[in-house]
Amino acid sequence: MTKKEIASYIDHTALSADCGVKQIGILCSEALKYGFASVCVNPVNVAFASSELAGSDVKVCTVIGFPLGAATSAAKAFETEDAIFNGADEIDMVINIGAAKDGRYSIVSSDIATVVETARNAGEKVNKKIIVKVILETCLLDEQTIKSCCLCAKKAGADFVKTSTGFATPKGYDGRLLPNGASESHVKLMREVVGPDMGVKASGGIRSAAMAALMLKAGANRIGTSSGVNIVEAWNESTEI
């Protein structure tokens, strides 16, 4: 896989609270230079990113209900429509994590479906096919819950399931922080559940070319990372996926 090919799998990401237009401008310039799939920015930066990338093949991705997933479905729908009208091409929404952990999957499914339907309707108004990715926050869920949430996303008509926000703070019984990003085992599990026709995005803690390669081999077909430039620059073109 060439450097250009690996770049095409990457959502070049800047989601910290202190991202201003200067940083987003650099993000967009890098995306244009390397040919990343998208830039992933907070909703407040969508319009600016859209203007910076106008006329290019780089998409604008944004996050909805981020990072907790604890907004109401109506609030997520409003965020989604607003983002699309501001220029977003792809929507990464966070599920209702509390409902998932309770086993209330009808709520998880309806929450996703609300965003998917809103995205489809808003996309029609601006003549775009909007991609919807569903963030599970896998570090907070057991395997059975991950499986069930993948099925909820598939049933709701989403395009991708995604591992993580990168902002969760799971803790062990001793109070120590646990890993909060993508793992090979979770990506493999998600791919197994959703099958070959749905996307899997690995995100959270992917900072090296080796880690990106591991996620792709596990079944991911999109990588969310703030280290896209480093990954491409370090990519070994003889790496087989």
Side-chain angles (χ1 to χ4, degrees):
M1 182 181 286
T2 66
K3 291 179 184 290
K4 184 176 181 180
E5 287 171 333
I6 184 59
S8 72
Y9 285 86
I10 292 175
D11 289 345
H12 195 36
T13 303
L15 294 171
S16 63
D18 59 351
C19 281
V21 293
K22 183 177 180 180
Q23 185 173 348
I24 300 303
I26 294 170
L27 189 83
C28 291
S29 295
E30 291 172 342
L32 291 169
K33 176 181 177 180
Y34 289 94
F36 293 126
S38 80
V39 296
C40 188
V41 299
N42 284 308
V44 71
N45 292 316
V46 164
F48 178 74
S50 181
S51 68
E52 291 290 287
L53 297 169
S56 78
D57 292 331
V58 180
K59 304 300 185 183
V60 177
C61 175
T62 195
V63 287
I64 300 298
F66 192 86
L68 301 178
T72 64
S73 296
K76 290 177 184 178
F78 178 85
E79 271 195 293
T80 299
E81 185 177 68
D82 182 62
I84 292 167
F85 290 164
N86 281 329
D89 304 291
E90 301 189 355
I91 299 294
D92 287 17
M93 67 158 293
V94 187
I95 65 166
N96 184 330
I97 300 166
K101 289 182 73 69
D102 287 343
R104 295 180 292 152
Y105 296 116
S106 62
I107 292 175
V108 175
S109 187
S110 65
D111 186 58
I112 298 168
T114 295
V115 171
V116 170
E117 182 179 0
T118 300
R120 300 290 183 258
N121 291 339
E124 287 181 6
K125 292 177 183 178
V126 297
N127 197 30
K128 286 182 182 178
K129 184 186 184 305
I130 305 299
I131 298 297
V132 178
K133 310 188 202 92
V134 178
I135 306 172
L136 306 186
E137 204 67 284
T138 51
C139 65
L140 300 179
L141 308 177
D142 60 31
E143 287 194 1
Q144 185 54 55
T145 306
I146 291 170
K147 289 180 182 179
S148 297
C149 289
C150 285
L151 293 174
C152 286
K154 191 170 184 177
K155 178 182 177 182
D159 301 286
F160 280 75
V161 286
K162 175 179 171 182
T163 57
S164 319
T165 65
F167 285 77
T169 54
K171 294 180 180 180
Y173 291 114
D174 58 1
R176 292 184 181 180
L177 288 175
L178 301 173
N180 70 345
S183 73
E184 180 185 15
S185 62
H186 285 159
V187 170
K188 284 182 176 178
L189 176 65
M190 292 160 73
R191 174 54 69 200
E192 178 184 326
V193 174
V194 303
D197 298 326
M198 191 173 180
V200 175
K201 178 175 174 179
S203 184
I206 303 170
R207 300 185 181 91
S208 69
M211 185 67 168
L214 187 67
M215 294 298 108
L216 293 176
K217 288 177 181 178
N221 57 331
R222 193 74 72 89
I223 301 290
T225 179
S226 59
S227 301
V229 171
N230 291 338
I231 288 170
V232 173
E233 292 288 358
W235 187 257
N236 183 343
E237 297 201 355
S238 67
T239 299
E240 295 184 7
I241 302 301

